[in-house]
Amino acid sequence: MSGTVVHLHKGPTPNHDPATVTTLTVVPDAAAPPLPLWVRSGRAIKTAVTHDNTRTAARAVARHSLYLAGGARIVGRRAWDGRTAARYERYMRTAEAAGNFEAAAEWEERGQRFREARHRRRMDLLHSPLDVAKGAGISVGMGIGGLVLLGIAMAVATKDASDVVTPLMAVVKFINLMITIVQVVWGPALTIGPFLALLALWSVGAHQKAAPQWALPPNVRTGEGEPITPSIVVKALRDLGVPALRKAITEMGDAGASMLSPIVIAGCGVEVDVTLPSGVSTNEVQSKRRKLAENLSRHEHEVFITIPAAARTVRLWVADSGALDEPIGPSPLATDETMTADYAKGRAPWGQDLRGDAAALSLYQRHLLVTGLSNQGKTAALRALALWLSLDRSVQFWLADLKGAGDWRYFDGIASRLIQGPTDDHVIQATEMAEDAVTEMNRRLEERRTDPAAKFPPLIVLVDEAQVAFMCPAKDDDSRPYGGSKATSRYFMAVRKIHNQGRAVDVLMWQGTQDPTDQNLPKLVREGAHTRASLALGTEQQSRMALGDKAVNGGAAPHLLRQGLDKGTLVVASDGIAIPAGQASLTVRTHFIDDTAAEAIADRAKALRDGVTTLHAVERKEEHDPLADIAAVIGDAPRLRTQDVIKRLSALNPSAYGDWSPGDLTRVLEDAGAEPYKSDGRMVVGRDRVARALANRDAEGSASDAG
């Protein structure tokens, strides 16, 4: 029917039946009547009014007009504040509303001093006309007298009596000239003056952006970065969409200011406690974090809401706009080459909290779990702790990197065991490493039972990408799975045993895992860690898995961190880090240690140690060669104390050497002709003697084979 106009006609049927029929008549467009002029004009006006250019021009006109009105208001207020004590009254009320009564008293005293000074000025004005008249008379008399004396001096010099009045006449002519200039300028000044005054008012308004948000240009309309003041916080809470909160603020005599504690600077932002009115719960505010941030002219990631110890109170930390996107600087590990570590008493410099204070973590007898989404800085955060602890020469490391990308290659020469790779075989080796740690733990526990004062070197069993181990489908010869979370799962049970008893004898389990679920991070394992830290996660449920319900209920929200943008920022729940009273967690921006710095720190750690020999695979067969193992643990050192040799053998193969005594070591060495000897009053094992014994044994073996 395009291009036609349809007309409907109703009429009787041909046989005069009372029923009617409808007739369609098709009329070409050319025959259709044109639209009325008022319709076309209305459409044109509507298009013109709604056009972007029209709206932009209208906003510009309104903006500049409002700049003028706003400038007049600002200038008037400044003048009023300058002439009255209104400014001091305003500051005093603000301080009282914030509960800062000392500041309120100070402002009251300043206001009183201002009133006294103003009173003295007004009293002086009563006497000023007489003083001015007297001063003016004296000044005029002295001036005329001076001019007459000057004229007399000129007359004497020129011998012309008419020069006596020459200075007086010069002054009269100058005054006449000034009057003439004023007469010429006065008229144009009266004409131009009002325009200059309006221009000055407009300039003040434009500088202060004294116009509504809708009238401002897009580049200044957002209001981002404006300072946080009590009125802004109260307005943001009022507009949060909680009816009970809005009603309570409206009914308060101080417009809600009494809810706020003093706003204090906290690092790269400010902090304020808000006491909520009756009928408003803390979770109603927590659940509206994004809206609160937008009301404060901030992004969601720039506002953190936690629950302090006080009842019915939320603590708001609001970052300076854009501050969290700035780097925090290098790690002290990279900048201070003299730094060392102390496992028992020291704290690892991990980063900075949101206040800008150093965030240092105690690792003493604490199992550790770090989790987060992929590529968010989990390995870097975990490695930073291990690098610091490696600067304590007493700490031993058994390390399995189940990603195998080389992130832990610098620990070759620091760790006694270093497994790197993502395959099932690497998982099997990592599992048997954890089981050997259980054996070592049991040996230490047995020794502790016989000698309660026994001390042991800390042993850190570190597994990065532990989810690979939990998800491994491989089974051993007895059909026991290496992965999984059942009572028959070998890796799971080894970790559980270390969590249960390892802390008492300094055998600690550190794990890094990503994207936690009940399958790749079982509940019993994640709850066995004393220190739990999480980078950005996808959901609140994952945050609860990573940190626990208590931390999340207290405001911990790693699921609200921005994936990819908040790399290295994690939320920590631990008693090993200083957390403000009442909070259950702390947000930390960790220092990033790049590969170059990591290698340099690792070299310093190796220099503190006596040539640690790193085993790159766990030997699973029963056969072992004690003499060859002794040579391996001595490494490049010319000699090593017998006690240290036994400790290193125990770390190398706990099942074979875990119960060795000095007598066992002496027996093996004497049989090989490399018996220990005294050096500086202590029994030591010589590297050259052991190497010579191995060479002689190999030569004898070759001769026997040839015979």
Side-chain angles (χ1 to χ4, degrees):
M1 298 290 291
S2 179
T4 62
V5 179
V6 179
H7 296 277
L8 303 180
H9 301 278
K10 291 186 178 181
T13 58
N15 57 359
H16 303 283
D17 190 83
T20 60
V21 297
T22 301
T23 306
L24 299 178
T25 305
V26 180
V27 182
D29 270 351
L35 292 172
L37 178 61
W38 64 270
V39 174
R40 287 178 288 168
S41 300
R43 289 181 177 177
I45 293 172
K46 181 179 179 181
T47 301
V49 169
T50 58
H51 196 274
D52 289 341
N53 292 340
T54 305
R55 293 181 175 180
T56 302
R59 276 200 301 267
V61 172
R63 177 168 65 253
H64 293 290
S65 301
L66 292 168
Y67 280 167
L68 182 61
R73 176 177 54 81
I74 293 170
V75 170
R77 184 172 182 178
R78 289 175 180 174
W80 178 256
D81 286 346
R83 298 289 297 173
T84 67
R87 176 184 304 173
Y88 303 96
E89 294 286 345
R90 187 165 60 251
Y91 291 159
M92 185 175 65
R93 287 195 300 270
T94 302
E96 286 178 345
N100 192 350
F101 297 106
E102 292 183 2
E106 181 181 352
W107 283 115
E108 183 179 14
E109 183 181 352
R110 290 186 181 184
Q112 187 62 33
R113 289 201 301 266
F114 171 82
R115 293 186 184 92
E116 292 174 357
R118 183 181 60 185
H119 177 71
R120 286 196 300 270
R121 289 194 301 270
R122 289 177 176 175
M123 294 304 294
D124 291 341
L125 288 176
L126 297 177
H127 306 285
S128 60
L130 295 176
D131 295 338
V132 169
K134 291 179 181 179
I138 294 172
S139 298
V140 170
M142 292 179 63
I144 294 175
L147 292 174
V148 170
L149 291 175
L150 179 61
I152 294 172
M154 291 176 61
V156 171
T158 59
K159 298 180 180 181
D160 185 358
S162 62
D163 286 341
V164 173
V165 295
T166 298
L168 287 174
M169 295 306 298
V171 172
V172 171
K173 290 180 180 179
F174 175 76
I175 295 174
N176 186 48
L177 176 62
M178 291 296 101
I179 294 173
T180 303
I181 292 174
V182 170
Q183 289 176 340
V184 172
V185 174
W186 185 254
L190 289 178
T191 304
I192 300 174
F195 293 101
L196 294 177
L198 292 176
L199 180 62
L201 295 176
W202 175 90
S203 178
V204 172
H207 180 71
Q208 297 292 332
K209 302 293 184 294
Q213 292 290 312
W214 59 265
L216 295 176
N219 60 333
V220 298
R221 199 159 54 234
T222 61
E224 290 186 6
E226 60 183 345
I228 300 300
T229 62
S231 60
I232 289 177
V233 175
V234 172
K235 186 175 182 297
L237 293 169
R238 186 195 66 194
D239 298 337
L240 203 54
V242 181
L245 181 59
R246 183 182 184 89
K247 181 179 179 182
I249 292 174
T250 304
E251 293 176 351
M252 288 181 183
D254 57 1
S258 60
M259 297 192 307
L260 308 183
S261 70
I263 298 177
V264 296
I265 297 176
C268 58
V270 297
E271 189 174 79
V272 59
D273 285 356
V274 181
T275 302
L276 300 176
S278 178
V280 182
S281 62
T282 55
N283 62 350
E284 288 182 281
V285 177
Q286 277 187 302
S287 63
K288 294 181 178 291
R289 177 184 175 188
R290 173 175 293 182
K291 189 170 185 179
L292 178 61
E294 292 172 350
N295 290 350
L296 294 170
S297 300
R298 295 295 190 272
H299 296 291
E300 183 178 12
H301 72 276
E302 294 176 328
V303 174
F304 288 81
I305 306 173
T306 54
I307 309 299
R312 212 173 67 240
T313 302
V314 293
R315 177 169 294 161
L316 307 181
W317 185 87
V318 185
D320 298 336
S321 187
L324 293 184
D325 297 325
E326 299 294 331
I328 65 170
S331 169
L333 282 173
T335 57
D336 185 0
E337 296 183 357
T338 63
M339 177 176 286
T340 57
D342 187 336
Y343 162 74
K345 299 179 181 178
R347 290 177 177 264
W350 212 5
Q352 293 180 0
D353 62 15
L354 296 178
R355 288 173 162 267
D357 298 329
L361 180 67
S362 172
L363 303 173
Y364 178 65
Q365 293 188 342
R366 289 179 176 87
H367 301 302
L368 176 66
L369 173 65
V370 179
T371 187
L373 297 177
S374 178
N375 195 31
Q376 297 303 302
K378 167 181 55 63
T379 297
L382 192 59
R383 188 177 69 178
L385 297 177
L387 284 170
W388 176 80
L389 196 55
S390 69
L391 297 176
D392 184 340
R393 59 182 299 173
S394 68
V395 179
Q396 301 174 2
F397 288 92
W398 292 3
L399 201 153
D401 174 16
L402 298 182
K403 179 166 59 177
D407 294 326
W408 296 92
R409 63 186 182 274
Y410 309 113
F411 279 77
D412 191 348
I414 298 176
S416 302
R417 301 186 184 186
L418 179 58
I419 301 166
Q420 301 181 88
T423 65
D424 288 350
D425 188 56
H426 292 100
V427 172
I428 293 171
Q429 295 177 26
T431 300
E432 295 183 347
M433 179 185 76
E435 291 174 340
D436 288 346
V438 174
T439 302
E440 170 65 12
M441 177 189 71
N442 291 333
R443 183 193 70 79
R444 295 183 178 191
L445 289 170
E446 183 64 29
E447 185 175 342
R448 178 66 61 80
R449 277 189 284 269
T450 59
D451 181 9
K455 300 293 184 181
F456 307 101
L459 173 59
I460 306 299
V461 184
L462 193 155
V463 180
D464 195 13
E465 305 296 342
Q467 77 279 357
V468 177
F470 286 112
M471 300 300 291
C472 178
K475 297 183 179 181
D476 62 13
D477 295 337
D478 297 328
S479 297
R480 292 182 60 198
Y482 287 93
S485 57
K486 298 181 179 179
T488 56
S489 302
R490 292 180 59 178
Y491 180 78
F492 169 75
M493 290 306 298
V495 173
R496 286 291 302 137
K497 290 176 181 177
I498 295 174
H499 278 174
N500 288 338
Q501 295 180 298
R503 174 179 175 275
V505 288
D506 292 304
V507 177
L508 303 177
M509 192 77 202
W510 290 12
Q511 294 183 99
T513 182
Q514 64 175 252
D515 203 9
T517 65
D518 283 327
Q519 289 71 40
N520 64 25
L521 188 60
K523 177 178 172 59
L524 292 176
V525 169
R526 60 182 185 251
E527 291 186 351
H530 302 101
T531 296
R532 300 165 72 174
S534 177
L535 295 106
L537 289 173
T539 65
E540 181 179 334
Q541 182 181 6
Q542 287 183 315
S543 297
R544 293 183 181 276
M545 290 182 183
L547 300 177
D549 291 336
K550 179 181 178 181
V552 175
N553 291 339
H559 56 284
L560 295 180
L561 295 174
R562 300 168 298 167
Q563 183 177 0
L565 297 177
D566 289 325
K567 282 187 177 182
T569 299
L570 45 74
V571 184
V572 186
S574 172
D575 62 350
I577 196 168
I579 297 177
Q583 293 184 205
S585 64
L586 184 71
T587 301
V588 176
R589 303 171 68 197
T590 59
H591 296 295
F592 175 69
I593 302 176
D594 60 23
D595 289 345
T596 302
E599 184 175 9
I601 297 168
D603 289 341
R604 286 158 46 196
K606 294 172 186 176
L608 296 173
R609 298 166 185 263
D610 295 328
V612 174
T613 300
T614 299
L615 185 65
H616 290 274
V618 178
E619 186 62 43
R620 297 193 294 275
K621 58 186 180 181
E622 294 298 327
E623 296 80 13
H624 56 275
D625 185 348
L627 190 60
D629 289 344
I630 292 171
V633 298
I634 293 177
D636 297 331
R639 67 188 64 84
L640 199 64
R641 291 189 305 168
T642 54
Q643 289 290 346
D644 293 335
V645 173
I646 293 173
K647 289 179 180 179
R648 293 188 180 188
L649 287 172
S650 177
L652 180 66
N653 192 338
S655 61
Y657 306 113
D659 56 354
W660 263 36
S661 65
D664 296 320
L665 176 64
T666 302
R667 174 180 50 80
V668 171
L669 291 174
E670 286 179 347
D671 292 343
E675 59 277 357
Y677 61 94
K678 276 193 175 183
S679 175
D680 295 332
R682 296 185 178 183
M683 296 300 294
V684 298
V685 180
R687 179 192 61 189
D688 295 339
R689 290 189 179 190
V690 175
R692 188 163 51 249
L694 278 173
N696 293 337
R697 188 188 66 178
D698 294 340
E700 292 174 0
S702 300
S704 300
D705 292 341

